[in-house]
Amino acid sequence: MLTVDRVTVTYDRTPAVRDASLEIADGEVLALLGPSGSGKSTLLRAIAGLEPASGAVRWDGDDLAGVPVHRRGFGLVFQDGQLFPHRDVAGNIAFGPRMQGMAAGDRDRRVAELLELVGLAGYERRPVTELSGGEAQRVALARALAPRPRLLLLDEPLSGLDAELRESLALDLVGVLRRAKATTLLVTHDQEEAFTLADRLAVLDEGRIRQSGDVIDVWRAPADERVARFLGVTTVLPGEVTDGRMSCAFGSADVPWALTGPATVGLRPHALRVASTGVPGEVVSRARRRDHTRVTVDVSETVPDVSTVDAVATMADAARPGDEVRLTLDPGGVAIVG
Ligand code: ADP
């Protein structure tokens, strides 16, 4: 188990990470999610031992302060793989096991096993310079896993890839991490990637961890409006919760809390759908997405304190700027803020 206890990293007197604490249990995947520049890579580097920091990084209770990077038993994967260009695929993956003194026959078996795991069986003799971006990241992952690290540190491992490949590799990566039972810290600025891959989230903003918890809990109940907006909420409005049911100007939905009282409701675009019934408004703009149409709707005439909201329509829906539409609430996109 990894414990990060009040870690602070300061560059030129400016703290890039402030008082960060988190834990990762064995076999768990934690995503460190935050906007660019929020300190994610800095914290990962501090955990790896690549960056001097105050506070403590512990493994199973042992302080790693005096332990150099290569003795921490951590595997690292960066955005651009950083494979050894003069070694072939097998040479890259066998590097760690060789350093550990593993016999040649065992190394070959370990390489084959890992190539199988990452979906590249038979790639042993390929020069790494001839791999596609997605293949190179799979090899980087196999190389990091080869010495059986106790913790895997992934720093934006999919960011260098195009959107479609990213999505399919993210799904593959979930399987690889589960099968390898790898305890993992994943750094990403992409909430979808974090949701796809992680069991738990820690949201970092301006060097501070604003919230951490199970993915679904953070998603449903962001700690404050800033975290909510970072997690895709585009409309915030007052509401009321009574015995596990939330109501707001757009309708009501079940929520998993037995609270009663006023609440701040956060709506993601897909919480509001263009339908035949619901709150009326006028379409201001529209943008087609891959599998739906995103519309911005002016509801200022019907909903107090809210001017425009983001909503979704089906691809076939012809809603155009100027059209009157009705918006119905989809509970799946609702969050309670704070
Ligand atoms: P993220 O990974 O979330 O994009 P970083 O950890 O890379 O953020 O950076 C956090 C902050 O620390 C940024 O303001 C960045 O400019 C600063 N920073 C990062 N590395 C260094 C460095 N080596 N020297 C000085 N400032 C740095």
Side-chain angles (χ1 to χ4, degrees):
M1 165 164 176
L2 177 80
T3 308
V4 174
D5 189 6
R6 309 196 60 177
V7 163
T8 296
V9 182
T10 305
Y11 296 119
D12 312 323
R13 293 210 210 119
T14 316
V17 172
R18 307 162 196 238
D19 244 1
S21 298
L22 56 85
E23 285 185 346
I24 310 180
D26 293 349
E28 188 176 70
V29 180
L30 177 104
L32 193 56
L33 178 66
S36 174
S38 57
K40 304 181 297 293
S41 294
T42 303
L43 180 53
L44 176 137
R45 292 168 56 80
I47 292 168
L50 291 161
E51 208 70 68
S54 67
V57 176
R58 299 193 195 94
W59 186 267
D60 287 345
D62 295 336
D63 195 328
L64 301 180
V67 184
V69 184
H70 61 283
R71 296 214 181 280
R72 293 194 174 195
F74 296 172
L76 280 102
V77 178
F78 294 101
Q79 181 175 335
D80 55 348
Q82 300 181 354
L83 297 172
F84 308 123
H86 53 282
R87 290 177 201 260
D88 62 13
V89 166
N92 269 273
I93 299 172
F95 180 80
R98 188 203 308 268
M99 290 290 128
Q100 291 177 324
M102 191 188 277
D106 293 338
R107 282 203 309 260
D108 292 346
R109 272 189 292 281
R110 182 80 182 129
V111 169
E113 180 185 310
L114 282 156
L115 284 174
E116 179 83 43
L117 181 73
V118 299
L120 294 178
Y123 270 55
E124 279 88 344
R125 300 275 78 90
R126 297 276 186 104
V128 298
T129 46
E130 289 173 18
L131 300 174
S132 71
E135 288 167 348
Q137 283 310 77
R138 286 169 197 264
V139 173
L141 184 66
R143 183 180 61 176
L145 287 168
R148 303 186 191 280
R150 49 193 187 176
L151 176 70
L152 194 58
L153 298 170
L154 308 177
D155 192 350
E156 303 269 8
L158 307 177
S159 295
L161 310 172
D162 60 59
E164 200 179 331
L165 186 58
R166 249 178 111 135
E167 206 172 294
S168 70
L169 201 52
L171 291 171
D172 290 352
L173 191 52
V174 179
V176 171
L177 296 179
R178 292 281 176 276
R179 284 195 296 275
K181 297 191 178 62
T183 306
T184 306
L185 176 78
L186 165 77
V187 157
T188 181
H189 67 276
D190 184 317
Q191 39 157 313
E192 265 190 67
E193 202 169 292
F195 291 153
T196 305
L197 287 163
D199 304 305
R200 286 171 59 235
L201 287 183
V203 181
L204 200 65
D205 185 31
E206 294 178 335
R208 286 186 194 280
I209 294 180
R210 302 282 168 180
Q211 186 175 10
S212 53
D214 285 357
V215 170
I216 194 72
D217 293 339
V218 176
W219 195 84
R220 277 186 187 142
D224 56 42
E225 200 174 318
R226 232 179 123 91
V227 172
R229 292 202 182 270
F230 184 67
L231 296 179
V233 165
T234 53
T235 301
V236 172
L237 76 165
E240 189 78 29
V241 177
T242 312
D243 297 332
R245 200 154 174 88
M246 175 287 295
S247 54
C248 68
F250 292 97
S252 58
D254 287 332
V255 289
W257 302 284
L259 308 167
T260 293
T264 302
V265 176
L267 303 178
R268 298 181 169 84
H270 73 269
L272 295 174
R273 293 183 184 276
V274 172
S276 53
T277 58
V279 171
E282 185 186 310
V283 176
V284 178
S285 65
R286 149 184 107 158
R288 292 219 192 277
R289 297 291 169 87
R290 199 157 39 143
D291 55 2
H292 66 275
T293 301
R294 176 80 79 89
V295 288
T296 303
V297 179
D298 182 347
V299 292
S300 58
E301 304 259 308
T302 34
V303 183
D305 304 325
V306 178
S307 53
T308 62
V309 295
D310 290 321
V312 298
T314 61
M315 223 40 185
D317 201 300
R320 287 199 170 72
D323 285 358
E324 168 107 341
V325 291
R326 286 178 179 272
L327 300 175
T328 187
L329 191 69
D330 180 338
V334 174
I336 301 293
V337 182

